[in-house]
Amino acid sequence: MSERTPIVADAPAQEIGDELPAIDPTKPMIASAWGRKRSGKSTFNRRLYRSWPFDKLAIDVNGDADPGADAIAVHQDALGLLPSRFPDVAPSVPGAPRPGARNLVYRADPGSPTYEDDLDRAVGMALYPQDHRALVWCGEVGEFMPSAGRTRPHMRRLLMQNRHYQASALFDGPRPVHVNKLVLGQSDFVAVFDLPDPDDRERIAKEIGYPPRRFFEECETTFRRGEHWFLLWHAETHTLYRCAPLPPMAED
Ligand SMILES: Nc1ncnc2c1ncn2[C@@H]1O[C@H](COP(=O)(O)OP(=O)(O)O)[C@@H](O)[C@H]1O
Ligand SMILES: [Mg+2]
């Protein structure tokens, strides 16, 4: 039996300033951030990514990821293939100290004839080995699924079974209506930055189960506060938060 207090799925947004709710990185999770260009999506995901204490991979499609100075680039081999699993995973030996977490970045080439396959193979690096805990940041989620019907195998597996693969994921995109509904449906956290199109707002409201008209009003109230204000939905507790712009990160 759950000990949680009863859920009120349409409670007004709670004001929480710029302190994000704590995220337990030992539990696989999915976060997605939505909003128009330059609204703050990548800044949100970068904050989660940089604070992630375990192995992680940023898949950078437009050079915007900035995954940190310690990020090591992953390259395709002579046959043009990426590793099929997270590279150099040490076998787990009971009691042995954990090797330091690796921060990898794959800079995809949108001009490559194998671009879509490359991206999906990169997603596979976060899935395998299956018992290996990793976070993958898929910036510009639309690149990974030009339409919902074309969601590729590793991405589909990530979306549907991330917990069974110890995989966590960060997504960002400008237009939720153009992306497989599973991304929203499977998100433990949904960050909503300035999102002007009513269809996009409605899509999010319906997928998170919040009354669309009320969600629209919460969007208006939040975005009127100023640039980079956002709403944050926490699926587990069915709580909507109103968040002030995130403060700059120390290393920026
Ligand atoms: N909380 C914030 N406070 C100040 N500037 C911000 C904040 N969030 C984003 N910015 C700035 O806005 C610009 C766009 O942010 P970014 O996260 O890259 O947007 P998006 O990914 O939505 O296109 C960047 O120059 C970034 O530094
Ligand atoms: Mg961005």
Side-chain angles (χ1 to χ4, degrees), residues 21 44 113:
F44 174 85

Side-chain angles (χ1 to χ4, degrees), residues 178-195:
H178 293 151
V179 169
N180 188 330
K181 287 178 183 175
L182 273 174
V183 176
L184 276 169
Q186 300 286 53
S187 289
D188 301 286
F189 292 91
V190 180
V192 186
F193 291 83
D194 186 7
L195 193 68

